[in-house]
């Protein structure tokens, strides 16, 4: 499955929100559906936009968040030195680690973020 900047941003959004999504899914009774969706995402058989549509539909939220969106074809600036990024380079998530804080993790792929 081809990856794009839109997919990377969507996966970043999903990854950052996944701990809260898991809790919401548990409370609302759709944990199994979320688990299947994550399995398909990890296998590369579910497109990121489709996954976001499913989650947003479950939560009654708009698919596209409001706010800044890069111009199509515009490459994002590289992450600053000393940041944690997606371990597989699949998304655009960038996290900083507070001194003594926990290691940031990718909730979609259950792996620690990569320091770079």
């Amino acid at each position: 499955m081809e990856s794009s900047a839109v997919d990377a941003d969507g996966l970043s959004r999903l990854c950052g929100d996944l701990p809260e999504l898991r809790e919401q899914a548990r409370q609302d009774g759709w944990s199994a559906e979320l688990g299947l969706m994550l399995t398909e995402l990890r296998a590369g058989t579910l497109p990121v936009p489709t996954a976001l549509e499913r989650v947003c539909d479950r939560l009654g939220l708009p698919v596209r968040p409001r706010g800044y969106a890069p111009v199509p074809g515009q490459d994002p600036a590289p992450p600053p030195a000393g940041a944690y990024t997606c371990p597989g380079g699949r998304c655009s998530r960038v996290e900083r680690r507070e001194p003594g804080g926990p290691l940031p993790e990718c909730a979609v792929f259950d792996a620690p973020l990569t320091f770079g």
Side-chain angles (χ1 to χ4, degrees), residues 12-89:
S12 175
R13 179 179 170 201
L14 183 62
C15 183
D17 293 342
L18 195 54
E20 291 83 11
L21 288 173
R22 282 187 169 133
E23 179 60 25
Q24 189 68 46
R26 186 189 64 74
Q27 290 175 9
D28 295 345
W30 55 282
S31 292
E33 183 181 336
L34 181 60
L36 178 61
M37 181 190 69
L38 290 172
T39 299
E40 292 173 356
L41 266 174
R42 290 175 184 138
T45 58
L46 179 68
V48 173
T50 303
L52 284 174
E53 286 175 23
R54 289 182 187 175
V55 169
C56 290
D57 185 54
R58 273 297 202 163
L59 298 173
L61 299 173
V63 174
R64 287 189 52 93
R66 293 184 178 193
Y68 170 78
V71 174
Q74 178 184 11
D75 291 328
Y84 289 83
T85 59
C86 179

Side-chain angles (χ1 to χ4, degrees), residues 92-107:
S92 58
R93 183 173 173 200
V94 177
E95 294 288 331
R96 297 209 182 275
R97 183 177 182 188
E98 295 297 321
L103 181 64
E105 292 188 8
C106 172

